[in-house]
């Protein structure tokens, strides 16, 4: 495991011109050192409470035997934690009162700062991210968020406490032993392996993932850029911790979701005979991922059709045709 590279004094121009194009994780030391919540120091919970409204937030609670790991229950039929509503001020009071060394794990995760703390963003600005990337708050005790990834770019700012991040490149997916798609602790698939206590007899390829992993520990005012799709494990290290993150996706979205395409692929491609999978693997590599260059370069522009459909009207027409195909009876399906 190696250290995530670090940079100091990163400006928006440097971030957009150097950091993001490299598509590699980078620690941004001190980028939020002047935030009001960071300057509040040990009084950061009082600062948040003074801004909070009464909008309910979902509070996660796990028993001490979970050891901070927010994951599945033993039977993989649910989670090892429960959720219940509270106000942010009420949650912060409970967090401040939680006793160690064997407390329950308490957390609120990915709550909208704009919804719960309307004045937070103005006093704690993040100029590196797009203007429409809104802050989200992750507050809690020594929680451990299992290895997962997000179909987003991400800047994560430690505003109070300390957090350890462990990152894995997208290509490490086969070594991460991801859990089910339909049952997840928080909406996205997570690894079945506990990073802090891996069972390598049960998950032997995880050793290869660890060998390639990158790690960093961040304190108040530090941030981490997590590129699109990178897998990450997040461990809060202090009795009380605050993370603020920003998600955004620069890709056009009018063509639909790649996740939906993956699900459709699971339905249509995975069970094909081996010779047919070989054919479609080549088709996707050539036409979708353009591994051999522009697949329509040899066709006159006026005749390229959907092979060069980038105009929003063309894309909308393709969506309509796809929806119509999906809604029609499957070949061989019984008629009603």
């Amino acid at each position: 495991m190696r250290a995530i590279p670090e940079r100091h004094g990163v400006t928006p121009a440097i971030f957009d011109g150097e950091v993001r194009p490299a598509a590699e994780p980078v620690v941004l030391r001190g980028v939020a050192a002047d935030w009001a919540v960071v300057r509040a120091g040990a009084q950061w919970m009082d600062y948040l409470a003074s801004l909070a409204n009464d909008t309910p937030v979902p509070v996660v609670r796990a028993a001490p035997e979970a050891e901070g790991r927010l994951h599945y229950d033993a039977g993989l039929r649910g989670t090892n934690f429960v959720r219940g509503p509270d106000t942010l001020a009420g949650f912060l009071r409970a967090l401040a009162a939680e006793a160690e060394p064997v407390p329950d794990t308490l957390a609120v995760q990915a709550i909208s700062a704009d919804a719960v703390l309307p004045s937070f963003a103005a006093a704690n600005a993040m100029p590196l991210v797009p203007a429409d990337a809104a802050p989200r708050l992750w507050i809690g005790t020594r929680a451990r968020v299992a290895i997962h990834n997000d179909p987003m770019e991400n800047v994560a700012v430690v505003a109070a406490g300390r957090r350890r991040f462990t990152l894995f490149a997208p290509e490490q997916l086969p070594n991460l032993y991801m859990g089910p798609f339909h049952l997840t602790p928080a909406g996205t698939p997570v690894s079945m392996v506990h990073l802090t206590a891996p069972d390598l007899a049960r998950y032997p390829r995880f050793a290869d993932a660890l060998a390639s992993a990158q790690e960093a520990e961040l304190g108040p005012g530090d941030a981490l850029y997590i590129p699109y799709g990178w897998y990450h494990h997040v461990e809060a290290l202090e009795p009380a911790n605050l993370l603020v993150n920003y998600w955004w996706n620069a890709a056009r979205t009018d063509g639909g979701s790649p996740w939906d395409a993956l699900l459709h692929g699971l339905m249509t491609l995975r069970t094909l005979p081996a010779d047919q999978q070989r054919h479609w693997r080549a088709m996707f590599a050539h036409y979708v991922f353009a591994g051999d260059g522009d697949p329509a370069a040899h066709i006159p522009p006026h005749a390229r059709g959907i092979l060069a459909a980038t105009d929003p009207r063309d894309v909308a027409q393709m969506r309509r045709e796809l929806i119509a195909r999906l809604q029609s009876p499957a070949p061989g399906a019984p008629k009603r």
Side-chain angles (χ1 to χ4, degrees), residues 107-176:
V108 294
Q109 300 176 308
I111 62 171
S112 167
D114 291 346
V116 181
L117 306 162
S119 62
F120 180 89
N124 302 274
M126 174 43 65
L128 302 185
V129 304
D132 59 352
R136 292 185 173 273
L137 307 180
W138 305 70
I139 312 171
T141 57
R142 301 178 194 268
R144 304 174 189 179
V145 177
I147 299 167
H148 67 286
N149 74 353
D150 305 302
M152 298 279 182
E153 295 186 73
N154 187 0
V155 165
V157 183
V158 172
R162 300 191 68 82
R163 291 190 191 240
R164 180 180 297 118
F165 292 81
T166 308
L167 270 60
F168 304 86
E171 294 78 14
Q172 287 300 315
L173 171 61
N175 299 324
L176 295 178

Side-chain angles (χ1 to χ4, degrees), residues 170-263:
E171 294 78 14
Q172 287 300 315
L173 171 61
N175 299 324
L176 295 178
Y177 298 91
M178 301 303 290
F181 284 7
H182 69 286
L183 173 66
T184 66
T188 188
V190 302
S191 173
M192 299 301 297
V193 187
H194 291 312
L195 176 76
T196 53
D199 184 347
L200 296 181
R202 186 175 183 181
Y203 307 111
R205 293 196 309 273
F206 189 68
D208 294 331
L210 284 176
S212 74
Q214 301 182 43
E215 187 178 76
E217 188 173 311
L218 276 61
D222 296 333
L224 175 65
Y225 172 59
I226 304 176
Y228 183 102
W230 276 66
Y231 293 88
H232 47 286
H233 178 277
V234 188
E235 182 178 4
L237 302 175
E238 299 293 339
N241 305 267
L242 168 62
L243 179 80
V244 183
N245 93 296
Y246 303 81
W247 281 315
W248 74 97
N249 184 352
R252 61 186 295 176
T253 58
D254 57 344
S257 164
W259 182 258
D260 292 343
L262 173 64
L263 295 180

Side-chain angles (χ1 to χ4, degrees), residues 258-318:
W259 182 258
D260 292 343
L262 173 64
L263 295 180
H264 193 215
L266 289 174
M267 183 171 60
T268 60
L269 301 173
R270 186 175 51 177
T271 59
L272 292 176
D275 59 329
Q276 295 185 26
Q277 287 191 0
R278 177 184 178 186
H279 165 76
W280 286 107
R281 188 177 293 112
M283 290 281 281
F284 273 72
H286 184 66
Y287 286 107
V288 177
F289 297 106
D292 309 299
D294 182 357
H298 59 289
I299 302 173
H302 72 274
R304 291 176 182 174
I306 64 172
L307 294 179
T310 58
D311 184 275
R313 291 171 297 181
D314 294 333
V315 174
Q317 177 61 31
M318 292 168 65

